[in-house]
Amino acid sequence: QVQLVESGGGLVQAGGSLRLSCAASGTIFSIAAMGWYRQAPGKQRELVALITSGGTTNYATSVKGRFTISRGNAQNTVNLQMNSLKPEDTAVYYCNSIHPNGMIYWGKGTLVTVSS
């Protein structure tokens, strides 16, 4: 079993920045990729950014050029640096991990609120 814990959410004004962090713990053989998803009220959960074990990244079109996903210094951690935040970025942000055995785990989420 793998547990993911997100941190760094909060309230920020439009144009500001915020950094989210996620740490995975538990029974981990290896991680193929880690990603960030978000879900706003009334909307489906969507992929924000993904990074593979090899360092390849993928971003939603809406956040390209503003968000950066990276691996943390500690093993099994991932960060999301969010710059030039917009009110449309307001959502609960979820961290997930994808494992070579096919298992996928999710964190409980952290709320990001961007005020205008």
Side-chain angles (χ1 to χ4, degrees), residues 38-104:
R38 68 186 181 187
Q39 186 168 24
K43 295 185 179 295
Q44 294 185 348
R45 188 173 300 186
E46 64 175 349
L47 174 68
V48 177
L50 182 75
I51 186 167
T52 70
S53 61
T56 301
T57 58
N58 186 45
Y59 296 92
T61 301
S62 60
V63 307
K64 278 186 176 179
R66 299 189 297 121
F67 291 9
T68 302
I69 189 170
S70 63
R71 291 289 185 90
N73 289 333
Q75 195 172 33
N76 302 325
T77 61
V78 65
N79 302 316
L80 184 69
Q81 179 66 46
M82 305 185 293
N83 298 326
S84 302
L85 283 162
K86 305 174 181 179
E88 305 92 271
D89 296 318
T90 296
V92 176
Y93 284 70
Y94 299 89
C95 174
N96 85 331
S97 62
I98 303 170
H99 301 261
N101 65 1
M103 296 299 295
I104 301 175

